[in-house]
Amino acid sequence: MTREVRKTALGVLAALLLLGLGHAALASAHGIRRIHYEQTATVIETAFSDGTTASFAQVLIYAPGGGDTEFQNGRTDARGRFAFLPDRPGVWRVKVDAGMGHGFDMEIEVPPESCMP
């Protein structure tokens, strides 16, 4: 193989590699888009009876009339807070489990003006 042929082959290979990487970057972003809302969330703040925060406690949120399927689930943050955006007014059920038998169940009344469409 002559030097010119090798140089051309390397150029073609480099172009194909760059084209492939560009295609992979596009494929990895498929179906994701960013939406920003200016909305006030419903926030739950948790703490133990001695005042220390219930960091990373499990949280289950149930919508009004939603049955036993949770609307949202997750964990409190390092400061014991959890936020959600209700999509309908009414009484929402909240279950928090901080482990080792610590937790609570509560209900939150969400007015229509606090709902995310």
Side-chain angles (χ1 to χ4, degrees), residues 54-80:
S55 302
F56 311 111
Q58 181 182 22
V59 181
L60 301 174
I61 307 289
Y62 297 89
D68 291 330
T69 302
E70 67 261 15
F71 174 81
Q72 184 175 338
N73 60 53
R75 295 200 173 272
T76 60
D77 65 12
R79 294 186 180 173

Side-chain angles (χ1 to χ4, degrees), residues 1-73:
M1 191 181 291
T2 68
R3 187 174 185 189
E4 256 336 285
V5 172
R6 265 188 275 165
K7 198 174 186 181
T8 303
L10 285 175
V12 170
L13 183 59
L16 288 173
L17 180 62
L18 287 174
L19 181 63
L21 290 176
H23 181 67
L26 288 175
S28 67
H30 178 74
I32 302 293
R33 61 187 180 133
R34 182 175 177 262
I35 300 173
H36 177 77
Y37 292 105
E38 294 292 331
Q39 169 90 21
T40 303
T42 299
V43 180
I44 299 152
E45 191 170 54
T46 63
F48 295 105
S49 57
D50 67 358
T52 59
T53 59
S55 302
F56 311 111
Q58 181 182 22
V59 181
L60 301 174
I61 307 289
Y62 297 89
D68 291 330
T69 302
E70 67 261 15
F71 174 81
Q72 184 175 338
N73 60 53

